[in-house]
Amino acid sequence: MSNLKHVAVVGATGAVGVEMLRCLEERGFPVGQLTLLASARSAGKTMKFKGEDVTIKELTADSFAGVDIALFSAGGGISRDFAPHAVKAGAVVVDNSSYFRQDPTVPLVVPEINAADVKTHQGIIANPNCTTAISLMALYPLHQAFGVKRIIASSYQAVSGTGAQAIEELAKQSREWASENRAWDAAKLDSKPTVYPHQIAFNAIPHVDSFLESGYTKEEMKMENEGRKIMHHPDFRASVTCVRIPVFRAHSIAISAEFEKPVDLAKAREILSNAPGLDVIDDPSNKQYPLALDIAGRDNCAVGRLRIDCALDNGLSFWIVGDQLLKGAALNAVQIAECLV
Ligand code: NAP
């Protein structure tokens, strides 16, 4: 590969795709040529990159001639069907979907944790699930010091995690409630939701991704399955409840973790303060803890509410917040691409 790269973004118009362009530009990624790909609906429209208009093309099997790095963010089916064409054309694929994550030949990477795994790629590198990537930003440094055995966690996930249509659904429902001058106890709207199975405005839906036989959802099991692969820790266990809440941007996760070794709170705080890509905001008496509204748009995740867990042996509880469009998707993908150059 020469110094300047021909980069393709598949799903450029999506919630993640837009952020990918921003990350490539802001981080000064060495883009020599940029190819923007989306569905036929977007073909011919333009998006700005470094002040220039770039025309979006329809994704086809022939879209990847001359491409060095292809950032995929258009859903698992598109990755399944088109990533092999990109690899055949000589590109390295960084895939945001879940399609390749458990493939043993595909590294699954959070650069702050397992950047070295990038080198083992055979054409495709997977970007982890957003809730998992954010959680591991605090859990992994703690694991290195104390040896994590298992976690019990609940997520509070933003609608932008579902994509552009879900952002619009929350905005539309909120406007509907306000414009009709409804009372607080008349929050259940007449309009039918189209993206989520239930109204998301003024609600909390304990249903992210599809349900498995076990009663967990696929999203909930990603924490254990992807956490094991990224941390190289096959015995790691995670029981998670994923909840969608009416927040536009940034996921929050409440985690209670049990470790092999006793946890010293001051030591844990010091470890997290020194962890890359992570800020500690932890001064509850002054009402300081990480908040989705503050973390939205920020590269770093933030951890707070650190306390020795009262119900687990060698346990630590904490609250972590991260912008899932960035560390959970676009930023992490661009960081992986940076490892390639
Ligand atoms: P989104 O906002 O719905 O965007 C979907 C993108 O895919 C759009 O650019 C869309 O293009 C494109 N697309 C759809 N059908 C296509 C087709 N047939 N051919 C080519 N392009 C097509 O979704 P998103 O939230 O950005 O998510 C994209 C991917 O990233 C998904 O795999 C998702 O699981 C993953 N991901 C998302 C997040 C997150 O926080 N949102 C986090 C981690 C991973 P048009 O505009 O032309 O329809």
Side-chain angles (χ1 to χ4, degrees), residues 55-114:
T55 303
I56 300 161
K57 295 181 186 151
E58 181 182 356
L59 172 67
T60 70
D62 302 322
S63 295
F64 300 99
V67 169
D68 296 307
I69 295 172
L71 305 175
F72 270 68
S73 178
I78 298 289
S79 297
R80 178 196 62 216
D81 295 345
F82 291 93
H85 292 292
V87 174
K88 206 164 159 208
V92 179
V93 169
V94 181
D95 183 33
N96 259 284
S97 82
S98 57
Y99 190 73
F100 295 104
R101 288 183 194 147
Q102 291 306 322
D103 183 329
T105 67
V106 173
L108 177 65
V109 176
V110 175
E112 290 86 349
I113 299 175
N114 62 334

Side-chain angles (χ1 to χ4, degrees), residues 77-259:
I78 298 289
S79 297
R80 178 196 62 216
D81 295 345
F82 291 93
H85 292 292
V87 174
K88 206 164 159 208
V92 179
V93 169
V94 181
D95 183 33
N96 259 284
S97 82
S98 57
Y99 190 73
F100 295 104
R101 288 183 194 147
Q102 291 306 322
D103 183 329
T105 67
V106 173
L108 177 65
V109 176
V110 175
E112 290 86 349
I113 299 175
N114 62 334
D117 288 357
V118 165
K119 291 198 202 90
T120 66
H121 81 80
Q122 298 174 27
I124 302 175
I125 302 162
N127 210 38
N129 165 258
C130 44
T131 305
T132 304
I134 292 165
S135 300
L136 294 187
M137 291 298 286
L139 194 62
Y140 183 69
L142 293 168
H143 166 58
Q144 286 180 300
F146 307 116
V148 69
K149 282 165 70 176
R150 56 179 179 156
I151 64 167
I152 296 163
S154 294
S155 71
Y156 302 73
Q157 299 188 209
V159 294
S160 53
T162 313
Q165 288 177 349
I167 297 170
E168 187 46 38
E169 181 148 298
L170 173 57
K172 210 168 125 232
Q173 290 174 354
S174 308
R175 280 195 294 266
E176 186 179 333
W177 180 80
S179 67
E180 290 175 1
N181 271 331
R182 282 171 173 253
W184 71 272
D185 56 355
K188 192 149 188 178
L189 302 169
D190 301 324
S191 65
K192 292 275 161 279
T194 55
V195 176
Y196 294 115
H198 306 281
Q199 178 183 321
I200 183 64
F202 320 111
N203 213 354
I205 307 175
H207 178 179
V208 180
D209 210 334
S210 46
F211 282 98
L212 300 164
E213 278 277 292
S214 61
Y216 284 93
T217 65
K218 281 187 183 170
E219 180 89 350
E220 288 163 353
M221 292 316 298
K222 286 170 189 170
M223 185 81 85
E224 180 170 283
N225 297 332
E226 297 184 21
R228 287 178 173 184
K229 187 167 174 177
I230 296 163
M231 295 194 288
H232 298 181
H233 183 358
D235 300 326
F236 171 64
R237 297 178 70 190
S239 175
V240 183
T241 303
C242 288
V243 183
R244 189 74 64 187
I245 59 163
V247 156
F248 280 111
R249 186 165 175 162
H251 289 356
S252 307
I253 307 110
I255 300 180
S256 293
E258 189 175 53
F259 296 89

Side-chain angles (χ1 to χ4, degrees), residues 11 13-16 38-39 41-42 73-75 78 96-97 160-161 163-164 324-325 328-329:
T13 52
V16 174
S39 76
R41 293 179 290 277
S42 304
S73 178
I78 298 289
N96 259 284
S97 82
S160 53
Q324 92 295 336
L325 287 172

